[in-house]
Amino acid sequence: QVQLVESGGGLVQAGGSLRLSCEASGRTFSSRVMGWFRQAPGKEREFVSSISRSGGTTYYVDSVKGRFTISRDNAKNTVSLEMNSLKPEDTAVYYCAAGRTFRPVGSSTMEYYYEYWGQGTQVTVSS
C-alpha cells in the first residue's frame, strides 16, 4: 500500500507561480512512474504531467508545456510540479498518482495506468 500526500496548493494571481509536492510512503517509489492530474469544477479529471522512474523522461499536456516542470527525488520519495505563468484556467484540484511497479512510462497519460492516488490539493488562480 502506498500513501500519497500532496502539498503546496493555494491561491495565486495570474502570472504567478506555485510548487506542488507529493510525498509517497513505502519503499517502492523509485520503481513507479509518477503523474499529476487535475480536475476543474464541472470537468473531468485530466492528465497534466508524468515522469519516468529515473526522471529521464517526462510528458506534459499541451496546455502546460513550457510553463510546468515535473521532477522527482527518489531518495526522498517525492515528486514535484513547478507551475509558472499560471492562468485562471489552471484552477483545479491537483492529484498526485503512482503507477504500478516497473511498468514502462508509455500510457502514463491515462488514468487507468495508475494504482494509487492522493487526496488532491486545490490550486486557484485569480485573474
Side-chain angles (χ1 to χ4, degrees), residues 96-114:
C96 172
R100 292 174 174 79
T101 55
F102 300 111
R103 289 195 68 176
V105 70
S107 298
S108 63
T109 61
M110 309 301 291
E111 286 194 43
Y112 68 76
Y113 178 92
Y114 295 91

Side-chain angles (χ1 to χ4, degrees), residues 42-103:
K43 296 186 177 181
E44 293 187 352
R45 188 157 58 184
E46 68 167 349
F47 169 80
V48 176
S49 182
S50 62
I51 187 167
S52 63
R53 298 190 299 272
S54 68
T57 300
T58 58
Y59 294 100
Y60 299 92
V61 66
D62 285 347
S63 60
V64 308
K65 285 181 179 177
R67 300 189 297 122
F68 290 12
T69 303
I70 191 170
S71 61
R72 67 188 297 161
D73 185 338
N74 286 341
K76 296 182 178 180
N77 279 17
T78 59
V79 59
S80 298
L81 186 68
E82 182 75 32
M83 305 185 296
N84 298 315
S85 302
L86 283 162
K87 305 175 181 180
E89 50 265 42
D90 294 319
T91 295
V93 177
Y94 283 71
Y95 297 90
C96 172
R100 292 174 174 79
T101 55
F102 300 111
R103 289 195 68 176

Side-chain angles (χ1 to χ4, degrees), residues 15-29:
S17 299
L18 282 173
R19 182 180 178 88
L20 304 183
S21 293
C22 172
E23 184 172 358
S25 65
R27 301 181 178 182
T28 62
F29 180 80

